[in-house]
């Protein structure tokens, strides 16, 4: 029975894995290290506001047997254009950044005295080989195992850190001075938490792939439970890193290290301080594992998304050209069209990330700033596109969002747009 229940999990856990390396590990830890618990409510508020935008990825796939990319094509070229910009930034820049952090972690643990570029390329090739040599099922099992292991360690580390922490003389709720650097950091935390809104498309892709693996469509109840579990884990991980940063860095007046290798070394020291030096290698292996799982999710999702875009550009939206089919037949078509180009775009992604790592590391901050700008400016637009998809005629009336969920979604879109305007003012024009 337990095996039967666990077999229905997958996309939600992958979502949690994709969030760790893109926001939690760095942003949440820094938030705790620099501001104690002050930004805790901001993290919770942001995750709640973005919940509908991410959940609509799951809901749309379950209701239609298609991905959100199909919905964007039906909405028009402008929607497709916005998503292409977002996915390309993730495909090359975000993937390269996560690869470098992962390589820094490995270099620190194994004391590898080799250029970070060489280690990064090695990590990248290793992950691409896993994806090229396996199926969605294998990818899901590997990632789920890594995330589960890391969740256990996070819980142990936080519990021990809370038990050992001496905070009697420390103010863990300091006032935030609203100078430009702090404002930009707060906006960055809000913008990347729990991850980029474009990851909602990954959810729809993974739900379709999971349904194909099961040989039947996921039910709405199964998919919703899986997504909610993954989202709760995602928020829990964010608070776990925030607590560790606050108790082990802020409370001890330790500055967050700059650079991939230095930060990786500091991250492991955070865990060993709370759990004990005896657990160093367990912690190190788990940290590497969860970073690899994050990298695997990004490397898997982006080629799926681009493959789906390319298939629709080449073949057109099929709904208008074919007779009605069963939900399962629609899912099979969706996954096969995207899978047809998957390996090609995975290899292209590997080559592109390798070029960024090898030749543009000196300008890496420029690339990261560009990816951050894209994430901020496209977030409310993609959230609105997801909202439109869920209230469209493609979705059966019974499967459309409730009135409460619609207001919740529109509120989130409005706040994301305001954050985007603040970011333009302070980040791009300031």
């Amino acid at each position: 029975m337990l095996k039967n229940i666990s077999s229905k999990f997958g996309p939600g856990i992958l979502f949690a894995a994709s969030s760790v390396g893109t926001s939690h590990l760095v942003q949440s830890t820094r938030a705790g290290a620099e501001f104690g618990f002050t930004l805790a409510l901001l993290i919770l508020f942001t995750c709640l506001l973005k919940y509908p935008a991410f959940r609509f990825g799951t809901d749309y796939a379950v209701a239609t047997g298609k991905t959100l990319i199909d919905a964007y094509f039906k909405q028009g070229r402008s929607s497709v254009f916005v998503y292409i910009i977002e996915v390309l930034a993730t495909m090359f820049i975000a993937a390269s950044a996560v690869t470098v952090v992962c390589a820094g972690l490995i270099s620190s643990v194994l004391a590898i005295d080799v250029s970070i570029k060489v280690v990064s390329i090695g990590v990248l090739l290793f992950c691409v080989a896993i994806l090229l040599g396996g199926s969605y099922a294998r990818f899901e099992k590997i990632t789920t195992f890594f995330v589960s292991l890391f969740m256990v360690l996070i819980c142990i580390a936080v519990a021990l850190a809370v038990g050992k922490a001496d905070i009697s003389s420390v103010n863990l709720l300091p006032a935030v001075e609203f100078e430009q650097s702090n404002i930009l950091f707060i906006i960055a935390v809000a913008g990347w938490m729990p991850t980029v809104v474009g990851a909602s498309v990954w959810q729809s892709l993974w739900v379709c792939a999971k349904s194909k693996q099961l040989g039947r469509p996921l039910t709405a109840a199964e998919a919703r439970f899986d997504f909610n579990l993954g989202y709760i884990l995602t928020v829990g991980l964010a608070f776990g890193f925030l607590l560790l940063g606050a108790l082990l860095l802020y409370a001890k007046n330790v500055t967050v290290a700059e650079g991939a290798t230095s930060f990786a070394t500091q991250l492991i020291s955070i865990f060993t301080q709370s759990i004990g030096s005896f657990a160093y290698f367990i912690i190190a292996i788990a940290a590497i594992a969860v970073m690899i799982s994050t990298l695997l999710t990004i490397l898997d999702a982006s080629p799926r998304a681009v493959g789906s875009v390319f298939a629709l550009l080449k073949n057109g939206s099929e709904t208008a050209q074919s007779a009605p089919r069963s939900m399962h037949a629609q899912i099979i078509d969706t996954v096969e069209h995207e899978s047809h180009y998957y390996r090609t775009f995975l290899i292209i992604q590997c080559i592109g990330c390798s070029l960024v790592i090898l030749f543009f590391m000196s300008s890496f901050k420029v690339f990261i700033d560009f990816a951050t700008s894209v994430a901020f400016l496209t977030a409310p637009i993609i959230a609105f596109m997801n909202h439109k998809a869920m209230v469209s005629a493609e979705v059966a009336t019974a499967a459309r969002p409730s009135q409460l969920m619609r207001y919740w979604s529109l509120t989130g879109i409005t706040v994301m747009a305001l954050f985007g305007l603040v970011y333009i003012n302070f980040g791009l024009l300031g």
Side-chain angles (χ1 to χ4, degrees):
M1 180 179 176
L2 185 60
K3 184 178 180 180
N4 184 51
I5 294 173
S6 64
S7 68
K8 298 179 181 64
F9 295 155
I13 304 300
L14 297 180
F15 178 83
S18 70
S19 301
V20 175
T22 54
S23 62
H24 293 26
L25 187 143
V26 178
Q27 299 287 40
S28 293
T29 305
R30 275 193 64 197
E34 296 189 14
F35 300 103
F37 296 149
T38 302
L39 300 187
L41 286 179
L42 172 71
I43 290 174
L44 179 61
F45 178 69
T46 303
C47 290
L48 287 174
L49 275 178
K50 294 182 181 179
Y51 173 81
F54 290 114
R55 202 187 84 177
F56 288 165
T58 294
D59 291 353
Y60 187 83
V62 170
T64 65
K66 302 174 186 177
T67 71
L68 281 171
I69 296 171
D70 290 83
Y72 299 162
F73 268 82
K74 291 181 176 66
Q75 291 173 14
R77 293 182 179 179
S78 58
S79 294
V80 178
F81 179 72
V82 168
Y83 181 66
I84 287 174
I85 292 175
E86 196 277 341
V87 76
L88 288 178
T90 302
M91 185 174 186
F92 297 110
I93 301 173
S96 298
V98 173
T99 300
V100 171
V101 174
C102 189
L105 193 59
I106 292 171
S107 296
S108 173
V109 171
L110 302 180
I112 299 175
D113 188 20
V114 178
S115 167
I116 191 70
K117 295 181 181 181
V118 174
V119 180
S120 297
I121 298 300
V123 170
L124 187 63
L125 292 174
F126 171 74
C127 290
V128 169
I130 290 176
L131 295 173
L132 286 174
S135 59
Y136 170 82
R138 180 185 296 179
F139 157 63
E140 181 191 279
K141 287 178 181 177
I142 292 172
T143 305
T144 301
F145 172 76
F146 287 163
V147 171
S148 300
L149 175 64
F150 197 68
M151 273 296 299
V152 171
L153 283 173
I154 278 284
C155 291
I156 293 172
V158 170
L160 292 175
V162 170
K164 293 180 179 180
D166 180 13
I167 57 174
S168 56
S169 60
V170 180
N171 176 20
L172 288 173
L173 289 171
V176 178
E177 295 181 11
F178 285 95
E179 55 191 41
Q180 185 172 358
S181 59
N182 287 344
I183 292 173
L184 286 176
F185 178 70
I186 290 170
I187 295 170
V189 170
W192 284 98
M193 194 63 58
T195 186
V196 292
V197 176
S200 56
V201 176
W202 305 354
Q203 276 296 112
S204 65
L205 289 161
W206 287 328
V207 167
C208 289
K210 181 69 175 181
S211 296
K212 183 186 177 185
Q213 177 202 335
L214 291 174
R216 64 168 179 80
L218 280 168
T219 66
E222 290 170 346
R224 185 75 54 78
F225 182 79
D226 171 64
F227 173 75
N228 286 338
L229 175 64
Y231 208 78
I232 290 169
L233 288 177
T234 300
V235 177
L237 281 168
F239 276 98
F241 282 112
L242 178 81
L243 281 166
L244 289 174
L247 296 176
L248 300 178
L249 295 178
Y250 179 81
K252 297 180 180 181
N253 200 28
V254 178
T255 304
V256 177
E258 298 289 338
T261 303
S262 300
F263 178 77
T265 302
Q266 189 176 53
L267 176 70
I268 294 175
S269 73
I270 289 174
F271 282 93
T272 53
Q273 283 179 50
S274 53
I275 297 178
S277 58
F278 67 90
Y280 175 83
F281 284 106
I282 297 174
I283 295 163
I285 291 169
I288 290 171
V290 80
M291 280 306 301
I292 288 177
S293 71
T294 298
L295 183 55
L296 283 171
T297 58
I298 295 175
L299 291 175
D300 176 82
S302 297
R304 286 183 188 275
V306 177
S308 183
V309 170
F310 194 82
L312 287 167
L313 284 172
K314 184 176 180 180
N315 303 320
S317 183
E318 303 186 356
T319 310
Q321 302 174 13
S322 58
R325 290 162 291 171
S326 70
M327 176 71 78
H328 189 58
Q330 178 61 62
I331 290 170
I332 295 296
D333 278 354
T334 297
V335 176
E336 286 184 350
H337 282 149
E338 143 228 315
S339 300
H340 184 71
Y341 301 101
Y342 175 77
R343 290 181 173 227
T344 300
F345 284 112
L346 179 58
I347 293 170
I348 291 172
Q349 181 180 32
C350 179
I351 294 170
C353 289
S354 298
L355 292 174
V356 171
I357 292 167
L358 289 173
F359 301 109
F360 299 102
M361 283 288 284
S362 60
S363 304
F364 208 58
K365 186 179 184 300
V366 176
F367 280 95
I368 295 299
D369 288 345
F370 173 74
T372 301
S373 299
V374 169
F376 273 115
L377 301 180
T378 60
I381 302 172
I382 291 175
F384 181 66
M385 286 153 50
N386 293 355
H387 183 94
K388 283 180 64 180
M390 282 305 299
V391 298
S392 69
E394 288 292 309
V395 178
T397 303
R400 293 176 191 171
S402 65
Q403 198 71 12
L404 172 63
M405 185 58 66
R406 294 188 191 197
Y407 286 130
W408 188 349
S409 171
L410 291 173
T411 300
I413 292 166
T414 302
V415 174
M416 278 186 269
L418 291 174
F419 268 115
L421 292 174
V422 174
Y423 176 73
I424 290 173
N425 183 53
F426 287 96
L428 300 182
L429 302 180

